[in-house]
Amino acid sequence: MNQELELVESMDKLGVLMNKFQTELLNGELKEYTLRQLYYIELIDKHEGISVSEISKTLELKKSTVSIAINQLLELEIVTKIQSNTDKRFYFIKLTPKGKDIMKMHKQVHQNTIKKIINILNPGEVDSFIKIVDKIAALNL
Amino acid sequence: MNQELELVESMDKLGVLMNKFQTELLNGELKEYTLRQLYYIELIDKHEGISVSEISKTLELKKSTVSIAINQLLELEIVTKIQSNTDKRFYFIKLTPKGKDIMKMHKQVHQNTIKKIINILNPGEVDSFIKIVDKIAALNL
DNA sequence: TATAATAGTTAGTTTGATAAAACTATTTAT
DNA sequence: ATAAATAGTTTTATCAAACTAACTATTATA
């Protein structure tokens, strides 16, 4: 059969899937946060000490947008801002213990799903999947 | 190496990927529509003659929300509403030629990406990918 | 030293999506 | 025939997320 057509369907299913994968977060203990907030938290977890400007460039958002979002996370005691000693215009943004807890729960939710996936795939399939995703991701679409 | 950890990363990459896959739509000729609108259009394309209530159940949104969205699409001449003869409370929602054109463009954008993917994968990989995605999708997470 | 550039903030606005509640019109059930 | 249920609409309000523009504070440069 036509591989292209089948792949179209697969991508469709994958879209639905990834949507569920993401919105799962909004059900449990993390439901008080928005996806956007969890996304900021994830980014800060991955790049400890990142600045507002850097986030703004990474996410292609205006500085004002990011500034407000970060100060909101600050208000919620999810992040801290530490002014740089060498350049006082800069602030290093980091996760607080509360922020790290959120990140832990976030990862937990995803890991639970991943366990279910590993359960129904055989090891060879898991390997193929990882390799194929890597290849596609390298495409940079 | 730990398959679970690798799979976590893969799912992460897949998230980024599917995000791009979706937001690609917002660049070309379809940029005048929101993702939400394209989503409604897709649903109506797949279920020609669907009603507001059915959409509301499918998307888990209040009827008022859907009603407004659909009437907006009506205003834009993307959908038509035809009152049922057998039960005049019902309206069958369908795509207009303009709506179908939008759907065509939408599919085209995705197909272009899919061609790129097929190019860098060998046929065996495409097959595996389709099968694996099917398996995961069947999980219903 | 005076001027540019950079980091971040603040104020005000816009847009898109959502919901609750009250409503009309129609159909079903008692 | 009347009451209850259903489909869809309208109004009003809320919210998150984004933007522009003007601002302060700090640093780099000419």
Side-chain angles (χ1 to χ4, degrees), chain A residues 51-53 63-64 67 81 89-91:
Chain A
S51 69
V52 168
S53 296
K63 278 190 307 175
S64 59
S67 175
K81 283 192 306 190
R89 290 171 303 180
F90 272 95
Y91 292 83

Side-chain angles (χ1 to χ4, degrees), chain A residues 111 114 118 130, chain B residues 1-10:
Chain A
Q111 234 141 25
I114 281 163
I118 285 192
I130 291 167
Chain B
M1 215 238 247
N2 186 347
Q3 272 200 326
E4 193 172 314
L5 276 180
E6 286 191 272
L7 197 50
V8 169
E9 270 187 63
S10 283

Side-chain angles (χ1 to χ4, degrees), chain B residues 57-68:
Chain B
K57 275 175 207 150
T58 306
L59 303 184
E60 298 181 53
L61 295 173
K62 295 294 163 193
K63 279 191 305 176
S64 60
T65 303
V66 175
S67 175
I68 289 164

Side-chain angles (χ1 to χ4, degrees), chain A residues 40-82:
Chain A
Y40 278 112
I41 293 169
E42 203 175 2
L43 190 68
I44 295 162
D45 182 57
K46 274 191 194 139
H47 302 93
E48 202 183 58
I50 196 172
S51 69
V52 168
S53 296
E54 285 164 343
I55 295 174
S56 145
K57 276 174 206 151
T58 305
L59 303 184
E60 298 182 54
L61 295 173
K62 296 294 164 193
K63 278 190 307 175
S64 59
T65 304
V66 176
S67 175
I68 290 165
I70 295 302
N71 284 323
Q72 192 192 333
L73 293 178
L74 194 74
E75 201 62 36
L76 295 169
E77 299 184 312
I78 289 168
V79 304
T80 55
K81 283 192 306 190
I82 297 163

Side-chain angles (χ1 to χ4, degrees), chain A:
Chain A
M1 215 238 246
N2 186 349
Q3 270 200 327
E4 194 172 313
L5 275 181
E6 286 190 273
L7 197 50
V8 168
E9 269 187 63
S10 283
M11 292 300 281
D12 222 51
K13 287 178 195 166
L14 214 48
V16 175
L17 219 76
M18 292 310 293
N19 225 48
K20 280 189 199 161
F21 191 65
Q22 284 201 334
T23 52
E24 262 180 327
L25 295 169
L26 306 177
N27 292 322
E29 300 169 287
L30 295 170
K31 72 160 147 271
E32 55 183 308
Y33 307 109
T34 67
L35 268 185
R36 247 310 175 211
Q37 285 177 320
L38 293 175
Y39 196 25
Y40 278 112
I41 293 169
E42 203 175 2
L43 190 68
I44 295 162
D45 182 57
K46 274 191 194 139
H47 302 93
E48 202 183 58
I50 196 172
S51 69
V52 168
S53 296
E54 285 164 343
I55 295 174
S56 145
K57 276 174 206 151
T58 305
L59 303 184
E60 298 182 54
L61 295 173
K62 296 294 164 193
K63 278 190 307 175
S64 59
T65 304
V66 176
S67 175
I68 290 165
I70 295 302
N71 284 323
Q72 192 192 333
L73 293 178
L74 194 74
E75 201 62 36
L76 295 169
E77 299 184 312
I78 289 168
V79 304
T80 55
K81 283 192 306 190
I82 297 163
Q83 195 171 27
S84 163
N85 283 322
T86 58
D87 185 339
K88 292 190 175 168
R89 290 171 303 180
F90 272 95
Y91 292 83
F92 300 117
I93 301 166
K94 297 183 183 180
L95 295 184
T96 62
K98 183 177 172 190
K100 282 177 191 162
D101 277 353
I102 291 170
M103 212 35 234
K104 212 175 283 172
M105 289 188 276
H106 180 153
K107 280 180 185 160
Q108 197 52 56
V109 172
H110 283 173
Q111 234 141 25
N112 290 342
T113 305
I114 281 163
K115 272 183 191 136
K116 284 186 209 160
I117 293 174
I118 285 192
N119 264 336
I120 54 140
L121 297 181
N122 56 55
E125 285 174 326
V126 176
D127 261 355
S128 303
F129 188 68
I130 291 167
K131 274 184 199 129
I132 292 166
V133 170
D134 268 353
K135 264 182 141 175
I136 298 175
L139 244 182
N140 233 327
L141 295 186

Side-chain angles (χ1 to χ4, degrees), chain B residues 1-115:
Chain B
M1 215 238 247
N2 186 347
Q3 272 200 326
E4 193 172 314
L5 276 180
E6 286 191 272
L7 197 50
V8 169
E9 270 187 63
S10 283
M11 293 300 281
D12 222 51
K13 287 178 194 166
L14 215 48
V16 175
L17 219 76
M18 292 311 294
N19 226 48
K20 281 189 197 160
F21 191 65
Q22 284 201 335
T23 53
E24 263 180 327
L25 295 169
L26 306 177
N27 293 321
E29 301 169 285
L30 295 170
K31 73 160 147 272
E32 55 183 308
Y33 307 109
T34 67
L35 267 184
R36 248 309 176 211
Q37 285 177 321
L38 293 175
Y39 195 26
Y40 278 112
I41 293 168
E42 202 176 2
L43 190 69
I44 294 161
D45 183 56
K46 274 190 195 141
H47 304 93
E48 203 183 57
I50 195 172
S51 69
V52 169
S53 295
E54 285 163 344
I55 295 174
S56 144
K57 275 175 207 150
T58 306
L59 303 184
E60 298 181 53
L61 295 173
K62 295 294 163 193
K63 279 191 305 176
S64 60
T65 303
V66 175
S67 175
I68 289 164
I70 295 302
N71 285 322
Q72 190 192 333
L73 293 177
L74 194 75
E75 201 62 37
L76 295 168
E77 299 184 313
I78 289 169
V79 304
T80 55
K81 283 192 307 190
I82 297 163
Q83 195 170 27
S84 163
N85 283 324
T86 57
D87 186 338
K88 291 190 175 170
R89 290 171 304 178
F90 272 93
Y91 292 83
F92 300 116
I93 301 166
K94 295 183 183 181
L95 295 184
T96 62
K98 183 176 172 190
K100 282 177 190 162
D101 277 353
I102 291 170
M103 214 33 234
K104 214 175 280 172
M105 288 188 276
H106 180 152
K107 279 181 185 159
Q108 197 52 56
V109 171
H110 282 174
Q111 234 141 25
N112 290 341
T113 306
I114 281 162
K115 272 183 191 135

